[in-house]
Amino acid sequence: MDLSDSPAEAAFRAEARAWLTANRPDPPLPSGDTATGFALHVEWERMLFDAGWSVVSWPRRYGGREASLVEWLIFEEEYYRAGAPQRVTQNGIFLLAPALFRFGTAEQQNRLLPRMAAAQDLWCQGWSEPEAGSDLAAIRSRALRDERAGGWLLSGQKTWTTRGAFCTHLFGLFRTDAQAPRHRGLTYFLVPLDAEGVTVRGFGRLDGDEGFADVFFDDVFVPDDAVLGEVDQGWHVAMATTGSERGLTLRSPGRFRHTARRLVHLATTRGDDLDPLLADEVVQGWMAAEAYHLFTLRQVTDMLEGRDPGQASSLNKLFWSELDVRLHTTALELLGPAGELDGPWSRGFQFALAGPIYAGTNEIQRTIVAERLLGLPRK
Ligand SMILES: Cc1cc2nc3c(=O)[nH]c(=O)nc-3n(C[C@H](O)[C@H](O)[C@H](O)COP(=O)(O)OP(=O)(O)OC[C@H]3O[C@@H](n4cnc5c(N)ncnc54)[C@H](O)[C@@H]3O)c2cc1C
C-alpha cells in the first residue's frame, strides 16, 4: 500500500483541515455527556451537516459526500488533529447506520438516515440490561406481537445507555420468541423515546457526567416498520455490526495518534530532566499509536479488496482500549501530583478506564480471538 496521499486525497485533506481549523469551537465545548454540553454538541453536529462533513462516507442523497474509506480515515485524522468536539451522534452514525445500510429496507433508509445525518434524530444503543452484559443473549426485555394493531408491544429495562438521558431514539434487542434458543428469539427494534410507555431515568457517572440512562418500556407500541432485519434474527443483525463498534468506525486511529502527539508534546515541554524510563514509555506509546494506524490501513486494504475483517475487530478493540489507558497513565506520571487535578488528562484517564469494558469487555474479546481467530479449543 502506498501510504502517501494521492492528489485527490491531499485535496480532500486540505479542504477538511481548512474547514475544521476555521470552524472548530474554541474554547472547546463542555462534555457532551452533560445536558448543557450535549445541546452545544448537537449545534456543532448540525454545523458539520450543513457543511457536508457529518457523514463523509455516506451517499450524497443522505447528506454524505461519498468519500472513500481512505478519505474517511483522513477526515477522522484531521478531525482529531483539529481537536474538534466528541461526536455525540456516534451511536447513530457509526453503530446503527452500518446495520441500516446492510439490513434496512429502502423505506427505513430514506426515513431514518437523513435525519440521523442532520442530528435531528439522536440515537442511543439499548443492548445491555441489568442481567445481560457480557452474556448479551440473556436479554429479558420482550416484544409481544400485537396482530390487530400491526406491531409490537415492548416491555423491560435497558441500562448503561450512553447519552440515553438526552437522545431521541433507541436501537435495541428484544426477545420475540421465548421458546427459541437464546440467540435465535431476539429482534432488533428502532424505538422513539417519546413513545407512550417509555421512561428514561438518567444517572450520573463516577466522573460527574450525567448522560447514562436506564430506559424502561411499559407496553410500548411500535409498528412493524420499527423492526430492523428479520423478526427473530436480531442477534445476527447486531453481531454483523459489532465490528463497527470494536473496530474502525467507533475508534479510528486518528483519535489515538492525536493523544500520542499530545503526550509527546507534554513530555518535550517538561524540561530536560525527564526520567529515561518515562521517556521510553512516551516513545513506546507513540509507536503503538502509529502501529495501530498501520494495522487499520492494512484492514482497509483488505476491505477494499473485498476481504471481510470479521472477528479481527476484537484485536482492534483490545489494542486501542489498552493503548488509551497506557497513554493516559504515562501522561499522569509525567504530570506527577498535578495530574490528579481536574483537567483533560485526568478526565481522559477516567474515561480510558472504561475502554476495556464497553463495546464488549476485553476478557470476552480475548476469548473471541483465542477461539475464532487462533482456532484454540473451546473450554
Ligand atoms: C462507558 C460505558 C458505556 C456503555 N454504553 C453502553 C450503551 O450505550 N449501550 C449498552 O447497551 N451498553 C453500554 N455499556 C454497557 C457495556 O456493554 C457492559 O458494561 C459490558 O458489556 C459488560 O457487561 P456488564 O457491565 O454487565 O459486566 P459483566 O458481564 O457482569 O462482567 C463483569 C466482569 O466479568 C467478566 N466476564 C463476564 N463473563 C465472562 C466470560 N464468559 N469469560 C470471562 N470473563 C467474563 C467481564 O469481562 C467483566 O470483567 C456501556 C458500558 C460502559 C462502561
Side-chain angles (χ1 to χ4, degrees):
M1 179 176 195
D2 182 359
L3 298 183
S4 48
D5 290 346
S6 69
E9 287 160 1
F12 178 85
R13 185 188 292 282
E15 192 187 346
R17 184 175 293 186
W19 191 87
L20 288 164
T21 310
N23 291 285
R24 64 153 182 232
D26 190 17
L29 301 180
S31 163
D33 288 74
T34 59
T36 333
F38 186 81
L40 294 169
H41 278 73
V42 171
E43 275 177 31
W44 162 252
E45 287 290 338
R46 292 182 180 157
M47 239 174 105
L48 274 177
F49 174 74
D50 289 340
W53 294 111
S54 72
V55 284
V56 290
S57 60
W58 290 17
R60 286 185 198 284
R61 66 181 181 285
Y62 300 136
R65 51 171 79 203
E66 299 181 3
S68 69
L69 205 47
V70 173
E71 286 172 334
W72 177 78
L73 274 178
I74 290 175
F75 177 72
E76 285 281 298
E77 235 174 79
E78 292 302 322
Y79 194 87
Y80 285 105
R81 190 184 164 280
Q86 67 182 122
R87 303 293 306 269
V88 293
T89 50
Q90 65 179 25
N91 283 350
I93 62 175
F94 294 150
L95 307 188
L96 172 58
L100 265 172
F101 279 117
R102 185 154 164 195
F103 298 96
T105 62
E107 185 280 322
Q108 285 174 323
Q109 292 174 353
N110 292 334
R111 175 163 47 92
L112 300 173
L113 289 168
R115 293 185 59 80
M116 190 191 292
Q120 287 167 325
D121 294 343
L122 298 152
W123 290 85
C124 58
Q125 181 190 38
W127 291 9
S128 304
E129 297 183 0
E131 302 300 328
S134 299
D135 187 12
L136 189 60
I139 279 174
R140 290 187 191 165
S141 293
R142 62 169 204 268
L144 289 180
R145 183 83 192 125
D146 185 342
E147 206 61 66
R148 253 184 342 141
W152 300 83
L153 287 172
L154 309 181
S155 55
Q157 178 190 353
K158 297 292 175 181
T159 192
W160 306 124
T161 33
T162 294
R163 290 183 285 281
F166 315 129
C167 284
T168 60
H169 288 69
L170 171 143
F171 57 92
L173 292 172
F174 292 78
R175 192 162 293 289
T176 33
D177 183 350
Q179 310 309 323
R182 297 180 337 136
H183 297 81
R184 300 239 175 95
L186 297 168
T187 301
Y188 199 116
F189 282 94
L190 307 170
V191 191
L193 288 176
D194 63 357
E196 204 181 326
V198 176
T199 306
V200 177
R201 193 180 298 156
F203 60 92
R205 293 195 318 216
L206 279 178
D207 63 4
D209 280 359
E210 53 201 2
F212 263 152
D214 279 317
V215 184
F216 299 89
F217 302 85
D218 189 7
D219 281 341
V220 176
F221 177 78
V222 288
D224 281 330
D225 64 11
V227 172
L228 180 60
E230 302 287 318
V231 171
D232 294 339
Q233 295 298 312
W235 185 261
H236 174 60
V237 179
M239 289 307 116
T241 54
T242 50
S244 316
E245 185 172 13
R246 294 175 187 156
L248 269 187
T249 53
L250 186 67
R251 295 288 180 254
S252 69
R255 177 180 175 122
F256 307 104
R257 288 178 97 193
H258 179 60
T259 308
R261 276 195 294 264
R262 285 172 52 226
L263 182 62
V264 170
H265 178 73
L266 183 67
T268 50
T269 48
R270 294 198 74 76
D272 295 333
D273 57 344
L274 194 58
D275 175 344
L277 288 178
L278 219 44
D280 189 50
E281 259 307 291
V282 173
V283 174
Q284 293 293 336
W286 183 85
M287 280 168 33
E290 290 302 302
Y292 182 55
H293 173 60
L294 295 174
F295 177 74
T296 54
L297 288 179
R298 198 181 69 179
Q299 274 183 330
V300 166
T301 309
D302 277 348
M303 288 157 82
L304 292 175
E305 292 176 358
R307 290 185 296 276
D308 181 357
Q311 306 291 344
S313 60
S314 291
L315 284 176
N316 295 47
K317 205 263 152 163
L318 284 164
F319 198 84
W320 63 247
S321 58
E322 292 177 3
L323 170 63
D324 207 26
V325 174
R326 182 173 176 183
L327 294 170
H328 283 89
T329 306
T330 309
L332 293 195
E333 282 174 21
L334 277 168
L335 287 166
E340 289 179 27
L341 300 173
D342 193 26
W345 283 112
S346 89
R347 287 188 73 80
F349 173 71
Q350 290 166 39
F351 190 71
L353 292 180
I357 303 173
Y358 66 82
T361 69
N362 284 12
E363 288 77 16
I364 299 295
Q365 304 315 308
R366 286 198 156 82
T367 301
I368 294 175
V369 170
E371 292 178 354
R372 300 192 211 160
L373 286 178
L374 300 177
L376 297 178
R378 294 171 86 91
K379 267 194 299 188

